[in-house]
Amino acid sequence: LVNEVVGNIIDEEQAQDYYQPRSQILAETIISQTSNKDFGFVYKKFHKNVPQHVIPNYHVFKRYAYDCFYAIKAFSNWREGLEFYDDVFLRDRTPFILQQESLFLLKKKKFDQAALKIDYALQISRKRFFSIENTHAIILFKANINSNNSETSIRGILDRSMQILKSCYLDDQRKTYHAVTFAEQAISYFTRFSDSRANEYLALAKKWLLEIGVDKKYDVRARSLLKELDNLT
């Protein structure tokens, strides 16, 4: 999972070995064990001082560098994170920046702002992006599942979210991502509305998870969802 760092990145007089991760999972695990304050200091300083044109393979870099996983850890104040993403979007006007911004705002429970950003991402998308539609469905669902609005209004929005995910699963080649999201939401839907429609969502979620063979794969989250669905159906 790790290999030795090549090159003189430190003072040779320091008696300490340095390694770099070859696995993104390991890298994220290390970051998760780092204090938010320390990580935020490095993250903000890097993005402030390192211009895009000096970053090799920036088109690859930006797929990970602006992930909400990092922003959530770096910005305790949601307004500071919002300002960060808005600044990035001025330089790189792609819907994926808005997608990560909306996920960041969702994690901060700023549902209205998250909805505005993901709606804008859908508007400027020149073609259909299933990951953005998936995010749109998640925001619709989480913003309304615990709402105090009328039952009819809430169910209409939740059903719309489930239909978006259904379309994503049927049309996209990457099934697992959508099946897992659908299963998570189906369970939450059933918790609030334990009726025939909720049971239909549970049955469909279970069917999809079995179709993609999660019972035979090492996917802890998906297998856990399948077990939970077995208990409910």
Side-chain angles (χ1 to χ4, degrees):
L1 293 176
V2 297
N3 61 340
E4 294 183 43
V5 169
V6 177
N8 297 322
I9 65 168
I10 60 167
D11 188 337
E12 293 183 357
E13 294 181 0
Q14 294 183 6
Q16 183 173 356
D17 292 329
Y18 281 77
Y19 294 84
Q20 61 186 10
R22 290 186 295 180
S23 163
Q24 183 182 350
I25 294 174
L26 180 61
E28 291 180 355
T29 301
I30 293 171
I31 290 172
S32 69
Q33 298 303 308
T34 306
S35 74
N36 290 0
K37 181 179 179 181
D38 290 340
F39 176 77
F41 174 78
V42 174
Y43 189 78
K44 296 169 193 175
K45 186 176 181 180
F46 176 88
H47 285 292
K48 179 180 179 181
N49 295 334
V50 180
Q52 294 177 3
H53 67 270
V54 302
I55 300 175
N57 298 318
Y58 177 75
H59 66 287
V60 176
F61 167 86
K62 71 179 183 180
R63 288 170 52 196
Y64 304 98
Y66 307 118
D67 194 292
C68 69
F69 169 81
Y70 305 115
I72 290 165
K73 192 169 182 68
F75 303 106
S76 58
N77 185 314
W78 72 271
R79 293 185 184 279
E80 190 179 3
L82 180 67
E83 183 179 347
F84 167 77
Y85 274 115
D86 285 347
D87 184 58
V88 173
F89 184 67
L90 287 175
R91 304 191 305 270
D92 186 359
R93 301 183 69 84
T94 63
F96 301 104
I97 300 298
L98 294 171
Q99 179 191 19
Q100 292 305 316
E101 184 174 17
S102 65
L103 287 169
F104 168 81
L105 291 166
L106 176 65
K107 293 290 185 181
K108 295 294 185 179
K109 300 188 183 304
K110 300 300 177 182
F111 300 120
D112 291 342
Q113 293 88 341
L116 287 172
K117 295 298 180 181
I118 199 63
D119 283 345
Y120 190 26
L122 288 168
Q123 289 175 27
I124 68 172
S125 299
R126 296 181 180 177
K127 63 178 183 178
R128 189 178 184 189
F129 293 109
F130 294 107
S131 66
I132 293 178
E133 290 185 23
N134 183 288
T135 299
H136 181 218
I138 290 172
I139 290 172
L140 281 177
F141 193 90
K142 291 193 174 181
N144 292 278
I145 186 62
N146 296 314
S147 172
N148 294 320
N149 293 333
S150 70
E151 297 286 282
T152 303
S153 174
I154 294 169
R155 290 196 69 150
I157 296 173
L158 298 183
D159 288 334
R160 180 184 169 201
S161 171
M162 300 302 281
Q163 289 304 313
I164 292 171
L165 290 176
K166 184 177 180 179
S167 175
C168 288
Y169 179 85
L170 295 175
D171 297 340
D172 193 10
Q173 302 258 336
R174 297 161 297 178
K175 305 291 186 185
T176 303
Y177 181 48
H178 306 301
V180 167
T181 304
F182 189 90
E184 290 174 339
Q185 293 191 179
I187 292 169
S188 295
Y189 191 105
F190 179 82
T191 301
R192 178 149 191 179
F193 304 106
S194 302
D195 58 10
S196 59
R197 190 184 307 169
N199 279 302
E200 288 176 6
Y201 288 144
L202 292 179
L204 187 56
K206 183 177 178 179
K207 176 176 178 287
W208 285 348
L209 290 177
L210 289 173
E211 277 182 357
I212 60 179
V214 298
D215 54 325
K216 302 174 184 177
K217 296 178 181 178
Y218 187 72
D219 187 328
V220 176
R221 180 55 184 154
R223 292 177 70 173
S224 174
L225 285 169
L226 184 57
K227 185 177 181 181
E228 193 170 350
L229 289 167
D230 282 336
N231 293 332
L232 293 173
T233 55

